[in-house]
Amino acid sequence: MSVLILCTAILPDTFGGMLPYRFYYVLTNSMEPTIPTNSLVLVKTCEDSTQIQKDDIIVFHANRFGEAVTIMHRFSHTERNGAGELVYKTLPEGSETPDIYETRREDILGVYLWHIPYAGKFILFLRSEFGFLWICQVVVILLVKALVSARWEKTCVD
């Protein structure tokens, strides 16, 4: 189970569909002090029947200055936009001013469950090119150690 959780955190696109949970990383201070920057956050994915309550922390897709981004903010309320569509309004932590994003139900990815402070920085390191090389080095070192230990035991027994 630990390996599956680690794989889900490091390779979310590959292993994300195996569990109804996903990991996200908080890259900004918009949720401080509740969730510190660089935290690893576990989110339960939303289904259509999932009820979202006021002040729940949600993860959603948004269009920010023409760029598709994933954001984590508190759910505030629902309202109708100019076209009559139901939109979910969100707030950054400690703010009373709603976001300008028009978040629809299909944009909501999940609801926050818990976080591990600063663990996101470590996972982001492992996902980097340098982190991948580091993992490869550790694996090679462990394999060499196992090979040397096996040969050492064989020569000590003979």
Side-chain angles (χ1 to χ4, degrees):
M1 189 62 155
S2 298
V3 171
L4 180 61
I5 290 171
L6 189 61
C7 288
T8 304
I10 295 173
L11 303 167
D13 296 332
T14 305
F15 294 96
M18 297 179 130
L19 299 171
Y21 302 96
R22 292 222 32 180
F23 288 98
Y24 293 93
Y25 319 101
V26 178
L27 301 176
T28 66
N29 64 352
S30 68
M31 290 306 296
E32 287 187 356
T34 304
I35 305 172
T37 304
N38 294 317
S39 293
L40 180 66
V41 177
L42 180 66
V43 171
K44 179 158 180 28
T45 55
C46 272
E47 297 178 13
D48 292 336
S49 61
T50 304
Q51 293 294 320
I52 299 173
Q53 305 297 320
K54 181 176 174 42
D55 291 330
D56 278 352
I57 298 173
I58 61 172
V59 176
F60 58 96
H61 287 299
N63 183 343
R64 185 173 187 188
F65 307 116
E67 183 180 341
V69 294
T70 302
I71 298 177
M72 181 179 304
H73 281 172
R74 285 199 183 273
F75 169 66
S76 174
H77 63 281
T78 57
E79 60 184 45
R80 299 274 175 194
N81 65 8
E85 300 171 316
L86 185 67
V87 292
Y88 291 73
K89 298 307 264 180
T90 58
L91 307 162
E93 192 69 13
S95 175
E96 296 297 323
T97 308
D99 293 327
I100 59 171
Y101 317 115
E102 288 197 351
T103 306
R104 292 169 181 75
R105 180 62 184 195
E106 59 270 12
D107 296 330
I108 298 174
L109 300 173
V111 178
Y112 164 86
L113 294 176
W114 54 264
H115 70 278
I116 302 172
Y118 312 110
K121 194 162 195 129
F122 178 69
I123 299 298
L124 288 173
F125 165 73
L126 292 178
R127 292 182 67 190
S128 71
E129 290 177 12
F130 186 74
F132 177 74
L133 290 174
W134 181 77
I135 290 171
C136 290
Q137 288 176 344
V138 169
V139 168
V140 167
I141 289 169
L142 292 175
L143 289 173
V144 169
K145 179 189 176 287
L147 180 64
V148 168
S149 295
R151 296 238 178 181
W152 184 264
E153 284 182 18
K154 185 177 181 181
T155 57
C156 289
V157 172
D158 290 341

